[in-house]
Amino acid sequence: MRLKLERGRPGQDGSSGEPAFLGPLRPLLLSVELVLLFLALPLIYALLRPPLHIFGVLWTIAGGCAVSLLLDRRFERSRLWGSRDFLKHMKVVLARFVPVALVTVASVWAFLPEQLFALPRERPGLWALILVAYPWVSVYPQGIVYRAFVFHRYKPLLGERWPMVIASGFLFAYSHIVFRNWPAVALTLLGGLLFAATYRRTRSLLVCLVEHALYGLLMFTVGLGRYLYLSM
């Protein structure tokens, strides 16, 4: 009995033209891949603390995800940036961010007053470096992995609606177990759901980059950044 090995056209299920005999196994293979890459790998890193800098791991994974997306004929490359209607989308982002920022500052002032603006007060040089580098060194690679790649790669499993948004937000938050503190996971769960919803609405990593950077830099500025930093 001969196996059917010809490569078919990319289908509407998010496939990229893999051998036809793998079609029935695709959901299982994607599920195993998701578990290994997004659940097992962060847990192993958190438990073993290997001598690998977290950014090196992030950049390696983001690079692999970017190559996978660029090689997939079904992926719209414009989504890796996406500046269409940027100003219109930013109005929505800022309308949410301003009240959240005010509430966050007030909450830190009320419950953790000694931490409020600790980083810019005590280490202004480091704070300035974070303001410049954080969006590109940390935020954009995470956007590639947890928004662009997850939404495209696992569409056959989760669709494109709210199950995907929830999965993207959960996986993003779960990855922060590497910091070994519950505030990191709690804060990033809220952010992850928000960023995933923004990506679903805009299909723009640029909008997500700005939104993610705003909230992340807010955390570092008001004194909550210590929960999101891993000292090696």
Side-chain angles (χ1 to χ4, degrees), residues 33 37-38 61 64-66 68-69 75 80 142-155 164 199 205:
E33 175 189 276
L37 184 59
F38 291 97
I61 295 174
C65 291
S68 173
L69 291 172
F75 179 69
L80 288 176
Q142 291 180 72
I144 292 175
V145 176
Y146 293 100
R147 262 70 74 183
F149 182 80
V150 166
F151 267 75
H152 181 76
R153 182 73 169 176
Y154 303 113
K155 177 182 174 182
M164 175 63 81
Y199 182 75
L205 276 191

Side-chain angles (χ1 to χ4, degrees), residues 38-57:
F38 291 97
L39 298 180
L41 186 60
L43 180 61
I44 291 172
Y45 191 97
L47 293 176
L48 300 183
R49 297 294 289 271
L52 301 171
H53 198 283
I54 190 65
F55 285 133
V57 177

Side-chain angles (χ1 to χ4, degrees), residues 14-214:
S15 66
S16 56
E18 73 275 358
F21 72 91
L22 290 179
L25 295 176
R26 183 169 173 77
L28 175 61
L29 295 176
L30 287 176
S31 299
V32 172
E33 175 189 276
L34 186 151
V35 169
L36 292 177
L37 184 59
F38 291 97
L39 298 180
L41 186 60
L43 180 61
I44 291 172
Y45 191 97
L47 293 176
L48 300 183
R49 297 294 289 271
L52 301 171
H53 198 283
I54 190 65
F55 285 133
V57 177
L58 172 61
W59 297 338
T60 299
I61 295 174
C65 291
V67 170
S68 173
L69 291 172
L70 292 174
L71 291 178
D72 191 333
R73 292 172 292 172
R74 288 187 47 78
F75 179 69
E76 297 178 22
R77 296 185 178 187
S78 62
R79 293 184 179 181
L80 288 176
W81 191 245
S83 58
R84 183 177 180 181
D85 295 327
F86 175 75
L87 294 180
K88 181 179 74 173
H89 294 312
M90 284 308 302
K91 291 179 181 178
V92 178
V93 169
L94 292 175
R96 287 193 301 236
F97 174 75
V98 171
V100 170
L102 294 175
V103 171
T104 302
V105 171
S107 298
V108 175
W109 176 76
F111 299 104
L112 299 168
E114 71 284 354
Q115 292 186 33
L116 185 61
F117 303 126
L119 184 60
R121 284 190 289 106
E122 299 172 4
R123 304 186 67 181
L126 177 59
W127 177 64
L129 178 62
I130 291 174
L131 291 180
V132 175
Y134 173 72
W136 310 107
V137 173
S138 181
V139 172
Y140 189 66
Q142 291 180 72
I144 292 175
V145 176
Y146 293 100
R147 262 70 74 183
F149 182 80
V150 166
F151 267 75
H152 181 76
R153 182 73 169 176
Y154 303 113
K155 177 182 174 182
L157 295 177
L158 300 166
E160 292 185 289
R161 300 178 70 83
W162 289 108
M164 175 63 81
V165 171
I166 294 171
S168 172
F170 170 79
L171 294 175
F172 174 72
Y174 177 83
S175 70
H176 289 75
I177 64 172
V178 299
F179 296 117
R180 293 183 170 186
N181 68 82
W182 70 264
V185 177
L187 291 170
T188 53
L189 178 59
L190 298 175
L193 293 171
L194 178 62
F195 308 148
T198 295
Y199 182 75
R200 175 178 177 265
R201 186 182 76 253
T202 66
R203 292 299 193 228
S204 168
L205 276 191
L206 175 59
V207 176
C208 291
L209 165 68
V210 176
E211 183 173 50
H212 187 168
L214 284 172

